[in-house]
Amino acid sequence: MSRTVSAIVAGAASAVAAVAARDLFQRKHALLRNYPLLGHARYWLESIGPELRQYIVAANDEERPFTRDQRRWVYASAKKENNYFGFGTDNDLEFTSGYAVIKHRTFARSVPQSTPQAGHSAIVPCAKVIGQAHDRRHAFRPESVVNISAMSFGSLSGNAIEALNRGAALAGCLQNAGEGGISRYHRHGGELIFQIGTAYFGCRDDDGRFDLTLLRDVVASAPVRALEIKLSQGAKPSLGGLLPAAKVTDEIARTRGIPRDRDCVSPSRHAEFSDTDSLLEWIELLAEETGLPVGIKAAIGDLDFWYELTELMESTGRGPDFVTVDGGEGGTGAAPLIFTDSVSLPFQIGFAQVYRIFAARGLSEKVTFIGGGKLGLPDNAIVAFALGIDMVNVAREAMLAIGCIQAQKCHTDTCPTGVATQNDWLARGLVPGVKAERAANYIRTLRRDLLKVAQACGVEHPGLIGCDSVDILTGRTVSTPLDAVYGYEPGMGLPSDADRRAVIRLMSTQASEGGSAPPSATSVG
C-alpha cells in the first residue's frame, strides 16, 4: 500500500513539475511565465466568472441580461411554484431614471382577479385578426398574446425545439420556427410561423435559390399559420450568420436543404428583392400563393425604409400583415460584441419611432405589431402593449423556462443544460415531455400576470392598456406620461374601435373572479 501511495505522490509531483517547467518556458502567456502554476488559478476563475457572479457575487437586480429576480420569477412560474416576492421591492425606484410605473385605477369596468392561480387558464387572444386588412384567405386571430420567438433548430438542440413546440401546443400559442427550417422537432402539435431568412433554409433549391414550390410543400406539410420575412434581428442587425461545418449534422443539413460537409452561411441580404417596392411585390406573391398572412421582422436603425414602406402601403394597398420589431437588447446564439452592444435601437425607442410613422399615415390599425427583446417579463410587456404592440414574442425567457441557467455558452456548443447545443450527450439531459410542461406553465403565468395588470388598469385585455396608464420616472420627484416621452398623439397605441369592441366581447365570456362579498343592504353603489 505504501509503495502505491508513494508512486501516486511521485507521479503527481512529476506532473506538477512538468506543468511548472512548461509555464516557465512557454512564450504565449506572460502571467504563467512569471507565476507558474499559480497563474492557472486566474484563468480558471475567469472561466467560471459568470457562474461566480450569478450565484455568489451579484445582487438580486444587478446581473444581465436577466437579473436573479427575473430568473427566479421565470423558474418559479415554469414549475408552478410560488413566484411571489416578499418584503417589498429591492429595485431603486426613487433614483432610477427611465423606470416605468403602471398606474392602477380605483374604479373601472374591469375588476382584477384576486387569488394567485386565478386567470392561469384564461385565454388572452390577440386584439387584431392577422391578415384581415388585406383579405388574406387564411387570416386568423392568434389565441395568445404571448408566443415563442424565432429560434432555429441548429441554434437550439432538437430536444429544446421539441419541448418548446409541445409547450406551445399545451399553452395554445404560436412557435416561430426560426430561419433554420421546419424540423421533425417542430411537429409535435404546436402551430408555427415559418420564418424565411436570407438563406431560404427549408425552401431553397440545390443552388441555394428560393423555391416557391418547396415553400408551398412545407406549408402544406405542417401547421403553418403565417410567414415571416426576416430582414434583421436585434442582437445582430444587418449581419449574416455562420454555422460551422463541424456543427452541421445530417439532420440539420436535411432540414435546411444544405450540403453536409460545408459551412452553413446566411447572407446579410435577401436575393429575392432589392428595395422596398420589390419587397412588397414578394410579400404579395407569397400571400397569394399560400393564402397565409405575411409579415416582416426587423431591428430598427435607419428610418428611411419605414417612411418609404408606409408611403407605398398607403398609395398601393400592398403591405405586410404584421410587423415584428426586435429590440437591440434581444439575444442570439453568437454575434460580435459591437453588434450585440451598440447596433440597432432598444425596443421601446425603436418601436415607438416606427409606430408613429405607421400612425401618421393611418396604417397602425391595419397592421398587427409583434415585439421582441426581453418582453417576456411582465413589466416590459405592459409598456410594450401601452405603446401599441399587439403580441409579444419570448425567446430567452422561454429558454430559461426549459432549463437554461444563463451560462452564456450558447456560441461554444457546450450549453450545460442541453438547450443551445448540438452535443448529443448534453442534449440528452433535456427531456422534452417534462420541459414542455414548464414552457407552457411559464407562458400561461405571463398571460395571467398581463391580464391581472390590465384589469388593475381598468381594462379587459392587455392590448387595451393606453399610454395614460404608464408613467416614466425621470428622477426622485418627476415622472412623465409615456405618451409624452415618445411623442404619441391622443389615441395612439390602441387598436381600432371595432377591434376593441371585438376583444372586449371575447374577454367578457370569461368569468371574473375579482369580486368580494355581495353588497350590504345599506350599499349606495
Side-chain angles (χ1 to χ4, degrees):
M1 179 66 70
S2 60
R3 290 183 178 179
T4 302
V5 172
S6 298
I8 292 173
V9 171
S14 298
V16 168
V19 171
R22 177 188 176 279
D23 290 347
L24 283 168
F25 292 103
Q26 58 82 35
R27 297 173 176 272
K28 193 173 182 181
H29 302 288
L31 183 68
L32 296 180
R33 284 172 67 86
N34 294 336
Y35 300 95
L37 296 179
L38 290 176
H40 288 282
R42 183 265 180 196
Y43 295 111
W44 177 73
L45 288 170
E46 181 185 38
S47 70
I48 62 169
E51 290 82 358
L52 284 175
R53 291 190 295 273
Q54 184 177 82
Y55 297 111
I56 300 173
V57 179
N60 288 338
D61 60 352
E62 279 185 348
E63 202 173 7
R64 297 292 182 271
F66 293 91
T67 70
R68 183 179 297 168
D69 275 350
Q70 291 168 341
R71 296 197 310 273
R72 281 173 56 202
W73 180 82
V74 173
Y75 293 145
S77 299
K79 297 173 186 177
K80 294 187 78 171
E81 295 175 351
N82 184 345
N83 65 356
Y84 280 31
F85 286 70
F87 211 65
T89 181
D90 57 5
N91 291 345
D92 190 3
L93 274 66
E94 302 94 328
F95 297 102
T96 303
S97 181
Y99 196 96
V101 174
I102 300 159
K103 299 187 291 185
H104 64 286
R105 294 188 184 275
T106 304
F107 301 111
R109 65 177 184 258
S110 186
V111 180
Q113 300 176 351
S114 300
T115 63
Q117 289 304 315
H120 197 78
S121 59
I123 303 301
V124 189
C126 180
K128 293 177 182 174
V129 177
I130 299 183
Q132 184 178 57
H134 294 110
D135 296 320
R136 307 302 188 199
R137 298 195 301 276
H138 300 305
F140 73 108
R141 184 190 300 276
E143 295 179 13
S144 175
V145 295
V146 179
N147 298 285
I148 297 173
S149 191
M151 292 180 282
S152 300
F153 170 52
S155 176
L156 300 192
S157 69
N159 282 357
I161 294 292
E162 181 179 337
L164 293 173
N165 188 257
R166 290 181 183 273
L170 291 171
C173 74
L174 298 165
Q175 179 189 23
N176 191 310
E179 65 176 317
I182 296 177
S183 68
R184 64 186 176 96
Y185 305 104
H186 289 99
R187 301 172 185 269
H188 292 274
E191 294 186 329
L192 302 169
I193 292 178
F194 183 80
Q195 188 181 81
I196 304 174
T198 55
Y200 308 114
F201 295 132
C203 55
R204 57 185 264 158
D205 63 18
D206 292 338
D207 295 320
R209 297 173 299 190
F210 172 72
D211 189 316
L212 184 57
T213 300
L214 286 177
L215 176 66
R216 286 196 294 257
D217 289 345
V218 74
V219 165
S221 72
V224 176
R225 302 302 305 273
L227 306 177
E228 180 180 80
I229 301 168
K230 177 184 173 183
L231 303 178
S232 58
Q233 72 179 87
K236 49 181 178 183
S238 296
L239 273 186
L242 173 67
L243 190 66
K247 292 185 179 181
V248 180
T249 65
D250 288 333
E251 195 165 21
I252 290 174
R254 288 194 302 272
T255 300
R256 298 193 176 197
I258 58 175
R260 168 69 176 85
D261 56 347
R262 299 182 193 170
D263 291 341
C264 175
V265 178
S266 297
S268 61
R269 295 290 188 274
H270 280 268
E272 293 302 296
F273 51 87
S274 57
D275 56 23
T276 309
D277 186 64
S278 56
L279 166 63
L280 291 178
E281 283 297 305
W282 204 52
I283 288 173
E284 296 304 318
L285 170 68
L286 298 181
E288 177 61 30
E289 291 291 333
T290 65
L292 297 174
V294 180
I296 58 175
K297 174 181 180 177
I300 309 304
D302 167 43
L303 294 179
D304 289 346
F305 163 72
W306 299 101
Y307 283 111
E308 185 175 2
L309 175 69
T310 53
E311 180 181 357
L312 287 171
M313 289 175 65
E314 184 182 34
S315 62
T316 69
R318 300 171 297 166
D321 300 292
F322 63 94
V323 172
T324 302
V325 172
D326 199 17
E329 62 270 64
T332 184
L337 184 64
I338 180 62
F339 278 82
T340 59
D341 282 358
S342 303
V343 182
S344 84
L345 291 169
F347 171 79
Q348 287 185 24
I349 299 173
F351 174 73
Q353 292 184 1
V354 168
Y355 183 90
R356 289 200 308 268
I357 294 171
F358 276 83
R361 294 188 179 275
L363 296 170
S364 57
E365 296 176 351
K366 299 179 181 180
V367 174
T368 301
F369 291 105
I370 305 172
K374 296 183 74 173
L375 300 185
L377 303 168
D379 53 342
N380 293 344
I382 290 295
V383 176
F385 279 110
L387 287 171
I389 279 293
D390 300 296
M391 300 193 295
V392 296
N393 279 346
V394 297
R396 288 171 295 176
E397 300 93 333
M399 292 168 63
L400 290 169
I402 63 171
C404 169
I405 60 171
Q406 196 170 282
Q408 298 177 292
K409 305 286 187 184
C410 312
H411 59 299
T412 66
D413 204 34
T414 59
C415 170
T417 57
V419 177
T421 181
Q422 297 305 309
N423 181 297
D424 290 338
W425 173 257
L426 294 172
R428 67 175 289 280
L430 195 159
V431 180
V434 174
K435 300 301 186 181
E437 290 281 352
R438 295 189 178 183
N441 289 339
Y442 158 69
I443 291 165
R444 292 188 190 112
T445 304
L446 177 56
R447 285 196 306 234
R448 178 202 70 182
D449 282 8
L450 295 178
L451 183 57
K452 280 188 172 185
V453 174
Q455 291 169 337
C457 293
V459 295
E460 298 85 351
H461 184 278
L464 304 181
I465 297 173
C467 288
D468 58 345
S469 290
V470 180
D471 271 11
I472 304 298
L473 303 185
T474 53
R476 183 178 176 87
T477 59
V478 181
S479 69
T480 306
L482 187 65
D483 54 358
V485 172
Y486 289 112
Y488 274 32
E489 299 294 330
M492 282 189 180
L494 293 172
S496 68
D497 289 340
D499 285 333
R500 291 203 294 271
R501 289 193 297 268
V503 79
I504 289 172
R505 285 196 301 271
L506 288 171
M507 299 307 295
S508 66
T509 62
Q510 303 182 57
S512 173
E513 304 172 42
S516 57
S520 71
T522 58
S523 169
V524 295

